[in-house]
Amino acid sequence: MSVIDIEIPSAKVLGFKQLKCKGIIMELTLTQPDDWHLHLRDGDLLKAVVPHSVSHYGRAIVMPNLKPPITTTAAAVAYRESILKALPASSNFTPLMTLYLTDTTSPDEIKLARKTGVVFAVKLYPAGATTNSQDGVTDLFGKCLHVLEEMVEQNMPLLVHGEVTDPIVDIFDREKVFIDTILQPLIQRLPQLKVVMEHITTMDAVKFVESCKEGFVAATVTPQHLVLNRNALFQGGLRPHNYCLPVLKREIHRQAVVSAVTSGSRNFFLGTDSAPHERGRKECACGCAGIYNAPVALSLYAKVFEEMGALDKLEAFTSFNGPDFYGLPRNTSKIKLTKIPWKVPEAFSFSFGDIIPMFAGNTLEWQPSLI
């Protein structure tokens, strides 16, 4: 069977990529991606889910919303050691740790975090915004401004869950209101602060990020917010495994986010927000927010870029824009995406229960494997 090598010219930041066509099978080789927003949890759950991420990604920004949250440098270092111990023996995966910002975080803690070389960002959870965010910030400007100023001095990025928690604000409007009332004033007050608006979901977020100075404000995007709209929560009944925060939005917003990430803009990069929960915590009267997408994320990102005729821009989104924003070297290892059908497992079973992956039981294309 002959192999045809096709060089695809790409955006300026990409150079060239190789797309091989073996008969009807296509293979796409990319620089190994990183995940710039990942929940690994702890204990047995950490051990269960970490292999799915390390099989695809070289590094990941690890979220700090454990119980108790990772609020100190010492806790971040200890959590990092727990992750390293849970890795498969052959893994070269590097966890990039974060601190959980609170009303009482001190500037000295930011200095200490920077000195360790293992803490790469600080996470802002508005109190009550999502899973384990009850210890989050209640008054960003009144209680955290001195910490944010020190973050500018230390070149420490702020990672933002961009939703207000005021109960009078409609859940579908919380991202836009956060931009107008918190994020825009923050950028105006501290223009040198590096900010990542995480898991953006709306055209309002796209427009905001694109309006900011490149290199200071960026956004991560999840696979679920690229392939699903809010109808997916209710098709044929209530779908708890499609429930996440920020919640899925209208189709017009999904299309805006897709257009942004496939445009070649350096302001957007991969962040899965993969958030595992045991099945019983999702399928109950008051289910947890979070979609477990680690096993399928790369396949879904490739699907979106292919459908938009933008496979030449996929590598920048998955592998270049993130490390460039953080000032880190790009990975040198490679990953292969082969366009062959594969079925997503119905569930992953462990001693503590089942974890249901995104698109469970469905057939996807673009199967990833490390080279």
Side-chain angles (χ1 to χ4, degrees):
M1 183 165 51
S2 63
V3 177
I4 303 173
D5 290 340
I6 304 174
E7 287 190 333
I8 303 177
S10 58
K12 184 177 180 181
V13 296
L14 292 181
F16 292 88
K17 291 202 290 289
Q18 289 292 324
L19 179 65
K20 295 182 178 180
C21 302
K22 296 181 178 180
I24 61 171
I25 299 177
M26 290 193 295
E27 292 181 355
L28 181 63
T29 300
L30 305 174
T31 299
Q32 186 177 16
D34 302 302
D35 188 344
W36 299 97
H37 184 145
L38 177 64
H39 296 271
L40 286 176
R41 310 306 192 200
D42 55 1
D44 290 341
L45 194 50
L46 164 64
K47 296 174 185 177
V49 303
V50 73
H52 290 146
S53 290
V54 305
S55 65
H56 297 163
Y57 304 102
R59 298 166 291 198
I61 285 282
V62 181
M63 293 295 105
N65 57 330
L66 304 183
K67 287 185 176 181
I70 306 300
T71 59
T72 67
T73 302
V77 171
Y79 184 28
R80 180 176 184 270
E81 289 302 311
S82 296
I83 296 170
L84 293 175
K85 289 179 181 178
L87 297 180
S90 60
S91 174
N92 293 317
F93 178 81
T94 301
L96 309 176
M97 309 311 294
T98 61
L99 294 186
Y100 184 115
L101 185 64
T102 73
D103 290 346
T104 59
T105 303
S106 72
D108 286 341
E109 194 66 56
I110 303 302
K111 293 177 184 178
L112 181 59
R114 175 56 79 192
K115 286 180 181 178
T116 66
V118 301
V119 177
F120 289 84
V122 176
K123 179 63 181 276
L124 166 61
Y125 290 104
T130 189
T131 304
N132 296 343
S133 63
Q134 62 272 14
D135 298 308
V137 172
T138 63
D139 183 358
L140 183 65
F141 295 106
K143 297 183 177 180
C144 299
L145 186 58
H146 57 311
V147 174
L148 299 174
E149 291 170 342
E150 185 60 39
M151 289 172 61
V152 173
E153 293 297 316
Q154 299 296 328
N155 196 32
M156 180 77 77
L158 178 69
L159 314 182
V160 175
H161 182 110
E163 292 186 291
V164 296
T165 57
D166 188 334
I168 70 170
V169 178
D170 189 284
I171 192 170
F172 294 104
D173 298 330
R174 289 179 181 178
E175 186 169 278
K176 181 182 187 305
V177 174
F178 184 90
I179 293 169
D180 295 341
T181 62
I182 304 294
L183 202 49
Q184 187 69 60
L186 175 63
I187 299 305
Q188 292 173 349
R189 190 158 187 172
L190 295 173
Q192 299 304 306
L193 179 66
K194 291 176 75 77
V195 175
V196 179
M197 189 176 185
E198 300 196 299
H199 43 48
I200 65 167
T201 66
T202 61
M203 66 173 61
D204 307 283
V206 168
K207 291 176 181 178
F208 171 76
V209 172
E210 291 176 338
S211 73
C212 294
K213 184 178 180 181
E214 185 176 295
F216 288 94
V217 178
T220 59
V221 183
T222 76
Q224 57 262 31
H225 292 113
L226 291 175
V227 301
L228 301 176
N229 62 35
R230 65 186 188 179
N231 289 341
L233 288 165
F234 309 108
Q235 288 174 337
L238 189 61
R239 299 290 181 174
H241 297 287
N242 288 337
Y243 170 53
C244 60
L245 289 172
V247 71
L248 301 172
K249 301 298 194 300
R250 297 170 67 94
E251 175 65 10
I252 190 171
H253 292 294
R254 187 195 70 82
Q255 291 179 7
V257 177
V258 168
S259 294
V261 303
T262 59
S263 70
S265 170
R266 293 164 55 91
N267 297 324
F268 305 95
F269 43 87
L270 184 158
T272 65
D273 192 20
S274 184
H277 291 287
E278 190 273 325
R279 183 175 195 156
R281 298 193 66 207
K282 294 286 291 180
E283 300 176 5
C284 59
C286 187
C288 293
I291 294 176
Y292 185 54
N293 61 40
V296 302
L298 279 182
S299 298
L300 294 175
Y301 287 127
K303 165 185 166 66
V304 169
F305 277 75
E306 182 184 25
E307 289 175 349
M308 293 294 289
L311 279 176
D312 60 307
K313 299 179 177 65
L314 176 63
E315 189 173 33
F317 174 77
T318 63
S319 312
F320 295 165
N321 297 347
D324 291 355
F325 181 86
Y326 277 85
L328 296 173
R330 298 173 179 177
N331 292 323
T332 56
S333 52
K334 301 292 183 180
I335 195 167
K336 179 173 67 177
L337 291 170
T338 305
K339 192 174 182 183
I340 55 174
W342 65 280
K343 188 174 181 180
V344 183
E346 295 281 355
F348 295 99
S349 297
F350 304 97
S351 59
F352 56 81
D354 291 348
I355 301 174
I356 308 301
M358 184 179 180
F359 279 22
N362 285 273
T363 299
L364 299 180
E365 297 180 329
W366 294 112
Q367 188 169 31
S369 59
L370 287 175
I371 298 175

